[in-house]
Amino acid sequence: MFSAAKCGSCGPGYKTPLDAMRGPREEIVYVPCIYRNTDIQKPDYLATVDVDPSSATYCQVIHRLPMPNLRDELHHSGWNACSSCHGDATKRRDRLILPALISSRVYVVDVGTDARAPRLHKIVEPTDLYWRCGLANPHTSHCLGSGQVMISCMGDPSGNGKGGFVLLDGETFEVIGNWEQPGDAAPFGYDFWYQPRHNVLISTEWGAPKALANGFNPEDVKAGLYGRRLNVWDWTTHRRVQSLDLGEEGAIPLEVRFLHDPAAPQGFVGCALHAAVFRFYKTQKGDWAAEKVIKVPNKKVEGWILPEMPGLITDILISLDDRFLYFSNWLHGDIRQYDITNPREPRLVGQVFLGGSIVGDGPVRVLEDKELEKQPPPRVVKGKQVQGGPQMIQLSLDGRRLYVTTSLYSGWDKQFYPSMVKEGSVMLQVDVDTVKGGLTLNENFLVDFGREPDGPVLAHEVRYPGGDCSSDIWL
């Protein structure tokens, strides 16, 4: 029900991104739910949410898989196999790889036996990452065409910044070792994407785990504890061959997305601190370069921690046909849709406000705004006022529905949106105009994580059982 049509010799996923766009509509999604930095001493868990409008349990959490430990900070998940293994009929997308950002555990979840009721398959303990790889704070997981699993890490075991990669065996999920060559780790780590046709992997930089663990201090940026580079790696030799300094406007580059066409030598990265999007591309010489293509202006404010408020771009996506770019401004509270038919000149075609820090009834007063004439009203869905701002986003395969959750990371949630930590985050759905562009909130869709059995929880990333545009890579 959740995988590609049977074709005899096919493995998981889809042959091409355009084939994926014709895949089945999502019926359930997996969402990590976090209790760290709340007042509730319970383990994080993986929620299974029903998103089938014809179902009797539509918009409900239908299963919860608690982890066996406290304060893990579950974050971004990946797969044991995806469309990069499509040509291998021996592979199945049946294990969800779930790294824990703070505890440095990696949970392997069995979603193949019963997709609607996942169960824990294996735990990779922090000591395996520490002693075998000298790494900690795992973040992004991608499956490789080889059948192995690769996980980017943000730090060393002492909490210092260190951008390296852990390889797991795709069958046993034992730690194999580092992907990068000895001595080639980047100063900081976070997200990554690879394109074998161009012999490249590009990784991004958040910051030193010890600096960001419990909140954000602007002084840590000045002290050099946050990153601002794209790191370029040779896919064949596993060597770091370039570091592209994006400058002050490129500080804290987070999610990185190549275009889905595996032949395309370009992509985009969202830089959080100053709300800028950079396009990176392969030059005629064969190396890589980057240019700023979108900048969200700061807003001059009072009643906030700083006199100017950035948008804080925290997640970006590209539609499977490489036509639209989406990103969330977690502080300003809006999601934007850009036409990237001309990648050097993205064109804003859709925008919707879903909470945020500048809502009209909040404590922040906007003194100067280069984009809006007035502060947006608070967003209320099915009687629930949205606390926090739009953060993680996930697009349906056909590009018509955008799912949104509001939690960024518990330490920063607690600092910037304490009301969300108390009341719980939400999951919303935005309808997308894929012809002319345009975003409209679905007023009938709400998953209220403030009503969970053990108390309000912080819901993070959305993942489909059959793969999606941020977890599948085509070769």
Side-chain angles (χ1 to χ4, degrees):
M1 175 164 55
F2 299 109
S3 59
K6 301 297 181 184
C7 65
S9 62
C10 292
Y14 302 88
K15 184 177 182 180
T16 70
L18 296 183
D19 286 340
M21 289 193 79
R22 296 187 285 269
R25 177 178 172 135
E26 66 283 356
E27 297 180 0
I28 59 172
V29 297
Y30 302 128
V31 183
C33 294
I34 292 88
Y35 274 124
R36 180 177 169 267
N37 272 311
T38 73
D39 294 330
I40 299 170
Q41 296 297 307
K42 292 285 186 176
D44 298 348
Y45 58 93
L46 182 69
T48 305
V49 180
D50 188 333
V51 294
D52 179 0
S54 65
S55 169
T57 52
Y58 181 52
C59 288
Q60 294 179 32
V61 178
I62 58 173
H63 185 267
R64 298 168 186 86
L65 174 66
M67 299 302 117
N69 302 284
L70 296 174
R71 294 181 288 276
D72 277 316
E73 190 88 34
L74 299 180
H75 209 58
H76 292 193
S77 59
W79 297 106
N80 65 315
C82 71
S83 292
S84 64
C85 301
H86 182 68
D88 186 347
T90 67
K91 297 288 189 293
R92 290 185 62 219
R93 192 197 307 259
D94 58 3
R95 299 290 185 269
L96 188 69
I97 314 300
L98 190 51
L101 191 62
I102 295 301
S103 72
S104 295
R105 294 183 180 91
V106 178
Y107 294 102
V108 181
V109 177
D110 175 3
V111 296
T113 303
D114 184 349
R116 301 178 76 86
R119 59 191 72 178
L120 192 59
H121 176 72
K122 181 183 175 68
I123 304 174
V124 180
E125 293 294 348
T127 49
D128 292 333
L129 273 63
Y130 299 166
W131 294 110
R132 299 289 300 278
C133 303
L135 292 170
N137 309 101
H139 184 269
T140 296
S141 172
H142 278 303
C143 58
L144 307 184
S146 65
Q148 295 175 330
V149 173
M150 184 167 167
I151 305 173
S152 61
C153 291
M154 291 176 51
D156 68 12
S158 298
N160 303 302
K162 186 178 182 181
F165 306 90
V166 171
L167 284 176
L168 302 183
D169 183 282
E171 300 292 333
T172 66
F173 303 103
E174 295 291 327
V175 174
I176 298 170
N178 297 71
W179 178 84
E180 76 280 5
Q181 295 289 351
D184 262 8
F188 302 102
Y190 186 69
D191 194 24
F192 75 101
W193 199 281
Y194 62 87
Q195 286 286 45
R197 293 195 195 183
H198 296 286
N199 192 38
V200 70
L201 178 150
I202 292 183
S203 65
T204 61
E205 301 183 335
W206 186 1
K210 65 182 179 183
L212 58 86
N214 293 307
F216 175 71
N217 183 348
E219 293 302 314
D220 288 335
V221 178
K222 298 176 183 177
L225 295 175
Y226 284 88
R228 62 184 223 179
R229 289 173 297 271
L230 293 182
N231 293 295
V232 182
W233 306 75
D234 184 297
W235 182 245
T236 304
T237 66
H238 306 182
R239 291 281 183 191
R240 184 158 58 99
V241 294
Q242 264 188 283
S243 287
L244 304 177
D245 190 332
L246 302 179
E248 185 177 345
E249 285 196 310
I252 313 184
L254 295 182
E255 307 300 330
V256 60
R257 314 292 187 204
F258 265 93
L259 295 184
H260 295 288
D261 177 357
Q266 60 182 317
F268 298 88
V269 59
C271 301
L273 190 58
H274 297 286
V277 175
F278 281 73
R279 168 185 171 257
F280 57 87
Y281 59 96
K282 194 175 186 179
T283 71
Q284 290 186 340
K285 292 192 304 179
D287 61 357
W288 293 80
E291 60 180 356
K292 184 183 67 177
V293 292
I294 301 171
K295 177 71 173 77
V296 178
N298 288 355
K299 301 179 189 298
K300 291 185 178 180
V301 297
E302 64 179 14
W304 198 60
I305 58 172
L306 296 171
E308 291 196 11
M309 182 189 293
L312 207 77
I313 295 175
T314 51
D315 196 15
I316 69 169
L317 287 180
I318 298 174
S319 61
L320 286 168
D321 57 5
D322 290 335
R323 185 180 167 202
F324 294 115
L325 170 76
Y326 302 85
F327 65 75
S328 53
N329 283 308
W330 189 57
L331 291 178
H332 288 178
D334 61 315
I335 292 176
R336 301 187 182 206
Q337 176 192 25
Y338 287 80
D339 185 319
I340 53 169
T341 306
N342 179 355
R344 298 196 67 178
E345 296 183 0
R347 184 168 56 89
L348 181 64
V349 293
Q351 184 178 27
V352 61
F353 278 85
L354 306 172
S357 294
I358 61 166
V359 291
D361 69 342
V364 175
R365 180 166 169 252
V366 178
L367 304 177
E368 182 181 314
D369 195 324
K370 296 179 180 179
E371 295 184 317
L372 302 177
E373 294 183 358
K374 62 180 181 178
Q375 295 178 232
R379 179 65 76 170
V380 178
V381 185
K382 300 182 76 171
K384 167 83 171 185
Q385 180 167 338
V386 176
Q387 305 296 329
Q391 207 285 107
M392 293 306 296
I393 53 177
Q394 188 58 266
L395 190 65
S396 62
L397 296 179
D398 61 12
R400 295 176 181 175
R401 292 167 302 284
L402 194 69
Y403 293 93
V404 184
T405 55
T406 49
S407 168
L408 169 60
Y409 163 68
S410 69
W412 290 23
D413 292 350
K414 188 175 183 178
Q415 179 179 2
F416 291 102
Y417 291 117
S419 59
M420 178 175 66
V421 175
K422 292 179 180 179
E423 296 185 27
S425 61
V426 297
M427 178 175 166
L428 307 171
Q429 183 198 298
V430 174
D431 293 325
V432 179
D433 185 333
T434 59
V435 179
K436 297 179 180 178
L439 302 175
T440 308
L441 180 67
N442 179 349
E443 300 283 356
N444 295 314
F445 185 102
L446 172 72
V447 183
D448 183 357
F449 287 96
R451 297 188 175 186
E452 285 295 272
D454 287 328
V457 72
L458 301 169
H460 195 59
E461 187 194 42
V462 176
R463 189 67 77 209
Y464 306 142
D468 46 61
C469 65
S470 59
S471 66
D472 276 36
I473 293 177
W474 281 267
L475 306 183

